[in-house]
Every structure is written in C-alpha cells, then in structure tokens.
Amino acid sequence: MLDRLGVRSEDAVMVGDSLQRDVASARGAGLRSIWLNRGSLVAPEGMRADAEVRALSELPPLLS
C-alpha cells in the first residue's frame, strides 16, 4: 500500500490498539508503531511499540 501511495516506510506510522496485531505487524513491515493503550495495560517483554498514547489527542506531537 505504501508503494501505491508513494510513501516511504520510514515516513509512515501505524497506530493501533492491539500489540499483537497492530504493533507487531507494523514492526514486521518496517514501520514505526504507536500503541493506543486506552487501559493501563503493561506491554509484555519484547512487545514494545515505538511510542505509547492513552488517547488519540496525544498523537499530533508524535507525528510532526
């Protein structure tokens, strides 16, 4: 999809609420990942996102 959009992987970010589906998939595709952790969950060892937010309103500073 990034190729079709003309976007480089280093310029893309995956934001998702699932560590296993969203964060792990993003990392596997070479994308930065931001975990939308709406609870007070703790990521298991080895399953870390590049950043973590509790609400979508926290995203703008991370995307600039």
Side-chain angles (χ1 to χ4, degrees):
M1 183 53 76
L2 293 176
D3 288 339
R4 291 179 70 186
L5 293 171
V7 176
R8 300 178 310 167
S9 60
E10 56 267 18
D11 294 329
V13 177
M14 171 62 176
V15 179
D17 61 356
S18 170
L19 282 170
Q20 293 159 338
R21 287 187 311 267
D22 302 325
V23 172
S25 297
R27 297 189 78 114
L31 303 174
R32 291 184 301 144
S33 60
I34 299 176
W35 181 28
L36 177 58
N37 183 359
R38 291 188 174 151
S40 296
L41 303 175
V42 176
E45 191 65 35
M47 183 69 74
R48 303 244 185 257
D50 296 302
E52 180 179 333
V53 296
R54 301 264 185 232
L56 293 174
S57 61
E58 297 176 35
L59 285 175
L62 297 174
L63 300 176
S64 58

